[in-house]
Every structure is written in structure tokens, then in C-alpha cells.
């Protein structure tokens, strides 16, 4: 299995059985992301323990890329501090938009790198980023809806 196939497997797997896919009762924070170009819409829920993301979930509908990316986002930031999660957001955003920062060689990023290929498809970048934008908005406690537009 080559690297490209491995990455497709990760995306297929997370799309077929998304992790932490539920509405969180008594969430501390939540934010909804909307990507009207593709029709993706999802809400990210957070339970904070001080500065630590004690629990994270998402719920919504959309294309395979947006669902799989949000799923992998939840497993990536679970148990992390706000600062660590924002670092991951920055690195992920940079990776899918072809920014200057390299992909960190960490266990988490070896999976997140599944989405590096979307940089060749600008319309899909918004799909891959949607869950992360909603996470960022929830961490920043920005009320209401975030949109990729
Ligand atoms: Zn999409």
C-alpha cells in the first residue's frame, strides 16, 4: 500500500465511522462551522478542564473530507491544552494551504498528513479546515456561526 492509498484509507475510515460524533450534553463551549460552497455544516463541542480540552465532539453533515477531517481533529486535540490545540490548528492550516511551515514529524501529524493533498484542490481546503475553524471559534469563545466565506 503506497502513501497515497494509506491516506485515502484514513479518510475513508474516519468518514465511515467518525470518532466522537455526538452532540455533547452540558458542553462548556460550542461553535458551528458552515461551508456553503460544499454544503458542509458541523458543530464542535468542548468540555474544558481549566486550560485542558477534557472532551471534544462534533456533529453535522457534509462531504467525506469535512467529516473525516473533523473526526481526526477531535482525536488530535483530545486531552491537549488550548495552546497545543491552537498550534495544531496553525500547523494543519498551513499544511492544507501550502504555507511555509513544514509538517511536524509527530504521531498526530503522520495521520493529519492525510489531508495534505487537498492543497491541490482549493475548494476542498475549506472542507478540510471546517472542523478546525469551528474548534478555534469554540476555543476563542466566539459566539455564533463561523463561515468559510
Ligand atoms: Zn465539503
Amino acid at each position: 500500500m503506497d502513501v497515497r492509498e494509506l491516506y485515502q484509507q484514513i479518510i475513508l475510515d474516519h468518514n465511515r465511522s467518525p470518532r466522537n460524533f455526538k452532540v455533547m450534553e452540558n458542553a462548556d463551549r460550542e461553535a458551528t462551522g458552515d461551508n456553503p460552497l460544499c454544503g458542509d455544516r458541523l458543530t464542535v463541542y468542548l468540555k474544558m478542564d481549566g486550560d485542558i480540552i477534557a472532551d471534544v465532539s462534533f456533529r453535522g453533515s457534509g462531504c467525506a473530507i469535512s467529516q473525516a477531517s473533523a473526526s481526526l481533529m477531535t482525536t488530535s486535540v483530545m486531552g491537549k491544552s488550548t495552546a497545543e490545540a491552537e498550534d495544531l490548528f496553525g500547523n494543519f492550516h498551513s499544511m492544507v494551504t501550502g504555507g511555509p511551515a513544514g509538517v511536524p514529524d509527530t504521531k498526530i501529524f503522520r495521520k493529519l498528513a492525510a489531508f495534505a493533498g487537498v492543497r491541490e484542490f482549493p475548494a476542498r481546503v475549506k472542507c478540510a479546515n471546517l472542523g478546525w475553524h469551528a474548534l478555534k471559534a469554540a476555543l476563542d469563545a466566539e459566539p455564533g456561526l463561523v463561515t468559510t466565506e
Side-chain angles (χ1 to χ4, degrees):
M1 186 183 290
D2 72 13
V3 169
R4 193 173 289 257
E5 285 174 348
L6 178 67
Y7 288 163
Q8 283 178 354
Q9 287 289 326
I10 290 173
I11 291 173
L12 277 174
D13 173 43
H14 276 263
N15 180 52
R16 205 177 290 138
S17 37
R19 315 302 197 273
N20 307 301
F21 186 70
K22 58 175 192 254
V23 174
M24 190 187 297
E25 304 300 332
N26 61 40
D28 294 323
R29 302 179 189 177
E30 62 179 77
T32 297
D34 186 33
N35 179 20
L37 268 186
C38 182
D40 312 319
R41 189 181 176 101
L42 54 85
T43 301
V44 170
Y45 303 88
L46 294 176
K47 184 88 184 160
M48 303 300 292
D49 178 8
D51 189 43
I52 301 296
I53 298 171
D55 198 8
V56 51
S57 69
F58 81 103
R59 187 87 204 189
S61 60
C63 67
I65 299 273
S66 67
Q67 293 284 295
S69 182
S71 171
L72 208 49
M73 178 277 291
T74 64
T75 63
S76 300
V77 303
M78 186 79 77
K80 298 286 189 296
S81 70
T82 302
E84 287 171 323
E86 292 195 347
D87 270 0
L88 285 172
F89 170 87
N91 284 323
F92 184 84
H93 190 270
S94 186
M95 178 181 74
V96 296
T97 57
V103 178
D105 186 22
T106 63
K107 196 169 163 223
I108 286 175
F109 254 89
R110 280 195 281 277
K111 282 193 173 179
L112 291 176
F115 295 94
V118 302
R119 76 174 64 161
E120 294 162 41
F121 308 96
R124 310 319 297 274
V125 169
K126 292 178 176 181
C127 304
N129 267 332
L130 186 63
W132 288 90
H133 278 294
L135 168 75
K136 180 82 164 64
L139 285 173
D140 293 345
E142 287 174 10
L145 183 73
V146 291
T147 172
T148 55
E149 294 308 299

